[in-house]
Amino acid sequence: MSWLARLRGDDEPDEQQAPEPDEDSPAALQAAIDELVRYVNARAGGLPPAALVNARMLTDTLTEVVDSAAVRPLDVYAVISVRGVVGDYLPTTLRGYLALEPDARGVPRADGHSPTQSLMMQIDSLQTSVSATLVATREQDADALMTQGRFLQTKFNRSDLDL
Amino acid sequence: MLPDPSRAPARTDLPWLRHRPVRRVPAAAATRVDLRHAGRPAPGARPASAGLDLSRPTREAAPASSSLDLSAPAPAQPAPSPSLDLSSPAPARPSPSLDLSSAPAAPASARPAPSLDLGSSAAPAPASLDLSSAAAPSQVAPARRRPSAARGDEVLGYAPEGVVVGRPTLLTRDRPTIALTAVQSGVGVLRVTSAVSQGVGDFRLAAFAHLATGETVLLDHNRAMTTVPAASRRPVVQAVDRGFLVDLRQTPRLARLVVLGFSPTSAALAWSGALRVETIGGARVDVPLEREPGAGSLVALSLVNVGGRLVLRAERELVPGALREAALAFGFDELTWVDAWTPLV
């Protein structure tokens, strides 16, 4: 608190204020994924079995991405990808499908695809995207491991420059 | 007296002095990658070529050529030009070549060479792997399109892990799902049993089944709800003491099955133990019933029929409340309930 504020008799700021919850923390991301899993399960009766299974595989992949934060902090692009899929893309896809009348789900639309086909394709696209994120994350881990290996080799082995 | 060098022990400390002799490949046996772009009649003599020729070069031609030429020794050639020549050398002598050309019309006398031909060949080449678009399309049967989720087909969008026969497969958080093969999903009986100690508490097993006809049924052996469809003489799923039997001959009739543990008195249970899933072929899958102690229904396992393959998943979801809440949490919302524990049959 500044001396001017003390002279004016301003109140002390509350330094014990709880920090803002970090929505991008691994715990928050995992909680969002768990919520999405519950959303998918609760609507399993209205989804084609293959879409249900593929959607759950997608949530598994999202969990793997978040679990990689135990090794190293998540890349900002990985966080954006997980946030987008969990908070928007997959729920929007499922909501759009479930909003249709059951009789209309198998009828081809103007583009030649039925809503069920479109649902399968959209989940597959999301899976492809999240899988690419997971691969990139794992490659970063592998690169970090290789860098650590080179460091240890240099530190504890004789250098090639030694005579 | 100096020892006989031929009897001296091998020196292993001078690896850089070793050398490997270059193996000479006989010209007739050489395999050639020929990326010729044909369409032109094959000249009798090999012209000055700058084609992407991966055959072995001749001693005479190699210094003068700037082409990528790994070919076998070829007959003497005229002075080659340093150009990229995609022509068809097509020697009369057939050679086992990897031919990516677009179909040089083979000489009538020439025997078709065993080649990998990616060109647009019109000439018959029985021994070649021809990926060209030529040939007679009317004679080629249209390829059967493989179902793909990326094209909207209702199939698995990933390569599922399977079950190793003879070794139990444990479904964990890191590997929560596996898929039985079509044979494992369609032959015999799938047996689901629980292995739970007395220390867990008043543990009961139940299941919700959803049939392809749209019918949803609760299975609870202790309350005589034992068959799906209800009161059927040929049930798809049957509740037995501490488990369930799935008639795999009727797999197409089953859409989804969810197995859960619960306490009929709503008591908190010290969750432990496992579900064991066995096929008639000896495949076994174990699903842990591990959770922190608590009341409610522990949804442990789900089976989903995707195109005749049963996909098993360890759910590990503890749903607070009675059976009705568990049913709603997993999408069995077409049941009518007398109370929170009893569906209207």
Side-chain angles (χ1 to χ4, degrees):
Chain A
M1 190 175 184
S2 67
W3 61 272
L4 185 60
R6 276 197 297 271
L7 285 177
R8 286 202 307 244
D10 292 349
D11 292 335
E12 289 272 348
D14 188 7
E15 294 179 356
Q16 301 300 320
Q17 229 172 16
E20 290 286 323
D22 183 6
E23 292 186 348
D24 294 339
S25 68
L29 291 174
Q30 188 57 56
I33 294 171
D34 292 342
E35 186 62 33
L36 177 61
V37 167
R38 283 191 281 273
Y39 179 86
V40 173
N41 282 337
R43 284 143 188 88
L47 295 173
L52 169 65
V53 171
N54 290 345
R56 291 302 308 277
M57 176 53 70
L58 177 58
T59 58
D60 289 345
T61 312
L62 289 165
T63 298
E64 285 187 70
V65 173
V66 173
D67 282 349
S68 69
V71 180
R72 52 181 291 147
L74 279 179
D75 183 66
V76 63
Y77 299 108
V79 172
I80 292 171
S81 173
V82 172
R83 271 260 159 245
V85 173
V86 172
D88 184 4
Y89 307 144
L90 184 58
T92 303
T93 293
L94 298 179
R95 266 197 300 269
Y97 180 80
L98 292 167
L100 293 170
E101 288 295 323
D103 294 342
R105 293 172 182 169
V107 180
R109 309 289 294 175
D111 65 349
H113 295 117
S114 68
T116 300
Q117 288 175 316
S118 182
L119 171 72
M120 296 299 299
M121 288 189 287
Q122 289 178 41
I123 294 175
D124 189 76
S125 298
L126 293 174
Q127 179 69 60
T128 303
S129 168
V130 176
S131 295
T133 302
L134 179 62
V135 168
T137 305
R138 285 180 173 165
E139 283 180 353
Q140 285 178 356
D141 294 342
D143 290 344
L145 183 65
M146 294 300 147
T147 304
Q148 173 73 356
R150 283 192 289 273
F151 163 72
L152 293 176
Q153 194 172 21
T154 305
K155 184 172 180 63
F156 297 111
N157 291 356
R158 281 184 61 191
S159 167
D160 292 341
L161 300 177
D162 289 346
L163 295 175
Chain B
M1 181 178 174
L2 292 174
D4 185 0
S6 62
R7 295 182 183 175
R11 296 290 299 271
T12 58
D13 54 340
L14 302 171
W16 60 83
L17 290 181
R18 289 186 301 169
H19 70 278
R20 187 173 56 183
V22 178
R23 187 163 55 92
R24 301 284 178 190
V25 181
T31 299
R32 210 187 67 207
V33 178
D34 191 355
L35 302 177
R36 295 165 298 173
H37 183 63
R40 290 182 240 168
R46 187 169 171 164
S49 169
L52 182 55
D53 189 352
L54 302 181
S55 56
R56 196 186 187 102
T58 60
R59 282 179 181 274
E60 296 80 11
S65 172
S66 66
S67 65
L68 175 56
D69 190 357
L70 303 177
S71 67
Q77 303 169 8
S81 65
S83 63
L84 180 62
D85 185 357
L86 301 178
S87 67
S88 60
R93 177 175 55 82
S95 66
S97 64
L98 178 62
D99 189 355
L100 303 181
S101 68
S102 61
S109 61
R111 214 175 46 179
S115 63
L116 174 61
D117 190 353
L118 301 180
S120 58
S121 174
S128 66
L129 173 58
D130 191 351
L131 304 181
S132 66
S133 58
S138 60
Q139 297 175 359
V140 179
R144 214 172 136 190
R145 189 174 74 81
R146 191 173 181 181
S148 163
R151 295 197 193 99
D153 298 320
E154 294 182 48
V155 295
L156 294 178
Y158 60 96
E161 288 193 50
V163 182
V164 179
V165 176
R167 191 181 67 194
T169 301
L170 180 64
L171 295 186
T172 61
R173 182 180 182 274
D174 293 334
R175 185 181 58 177
T177 182
I178 56 103
L180 302 180
T181 64
V183 174
Q184 289 170 334
S185 305
V187 177
V189 173
L190 192 76
R191 179 184 295 271
V192 182
T193 52
S194 63
V196 177
S197 68
Q198 295 287 339
V200 171
D202 188 14
F203 176 86
R204 300 281 178 84
L205 209 57
F208 293 103
H210 186 72
L211 298 181
T213 55
E215 185 179 356
T216 301
V217 177
L218 169 66
L219 287 160
D220 185 352
H221 183 257
N222 294 298
R223 289 192 286 172
M225 301 172 180
T226 55
T227 59
V228 177
S232 171
R233 298 170 64 183
R234 191 167 170 258
V236 179
V237 186
Q238 184 179 1
V240 295
D241 185 27
R242 288 182 295 176
F244 304 96
L245 301 175
V246 182
D247 183 2
L248 296 179
R249 289 174 300 176
Q250 302 188 66
T251 294
R253 297 178 64 191
L254 179 66
R256 204 156 56 99
L257 180 73
V258 167
V259 181
L260 58 128
F262 72 102
S263 167
T265 56
S266 304
L269 299 180
W271 299 104
S272 69
L275 287 183
R276 188 163 61 185
V277 184
E278 296 166 293
T279 67
I280 198 170
R284 179 178 143 190
V285 180
D286 292 344
V287 182
L289 293 169
E290 306 286 346
R291 289 289 295 204
E292 62 278 6
S297 305
L298 178 58
V299 179
L301 171 72
S302 68
L303 288 90
V304 181
N305 180 4
V306 180
R309 295 187 69 177
L310 293 180
V311 180
L312 280 64
R313 171 176 286 275
E315 296 288 351
R316 304 172 67 250
E317 179 78 17
L318 183 60
V319 182
L323 287 178
R324 180 176 56 193
E325 278 68 40
L328 294 175
F330 278 77
F332 297 99
D333 46 9
E334 294 183 353
L335 285 171
T336 307
W337 294 86
V338 177
D339 57 41
W341 296 95
T342 312
L344 183 63
V345 180

